[in-house]
Amino acid sequence: MSILSWILVGLIAGWLAGIVMRGGGYGIVGDIIVGIVGALVGGFLATNLFGAPGAVDGFNLTSIIVAFLGAIVTIGVLRAISPRGTRA
C-alpha cells in the first residue's frame, strides 16, 4: 500500500471515528494520525483474531472499515488510560 493510500484511508477512517467517538473530528492531521494508527491496530486484530491477513491492503472499502474499527479501538483505549481532566 502506498503512502498516499495510507494517508487517504487514515483521513477517512480517522474522521469517521472522530465523529462516532466524540461528535467531531480531530482536524486533518489528527484524523490522519488516528486513522493510520487505527489501520495498524485494525490490521493487527483482523490478522491475529480473525485470521484475515491483508485486511488493510489498499484504498478500498474493506481497508477503510478495518481502519475505522481500529481507530475506534485506539480512541477507546486512549480514553481509558488517559487522566480524566478537562477536555476541549
Side-chain angles (χ1 to χ4, degrees), residues 10-73:
L11 177 62
I12 294 168
W15 176 72
L16 289 172
I19 289 173
V20 169
M21 294 296 288
R22 192 180 109 190
Y26 295 102
I28 291 175
V29 175
D31 286 344
I32 291 171
I33 292 170
V34 167
I36 290 173
V37 171
L40 294 172
V41 170
F44 175 80
L45 293 175
T47 300
N48 292 315
L49 295 179
F50 304 114
V56 182
D57 61 354
F59 186 72
N60 54 43
L61 186 59
T62 304
S63 296
I64 292 171
I65 291 170
V66 170
F68 166 68
L69 295 174
I72 287 176
V73 169

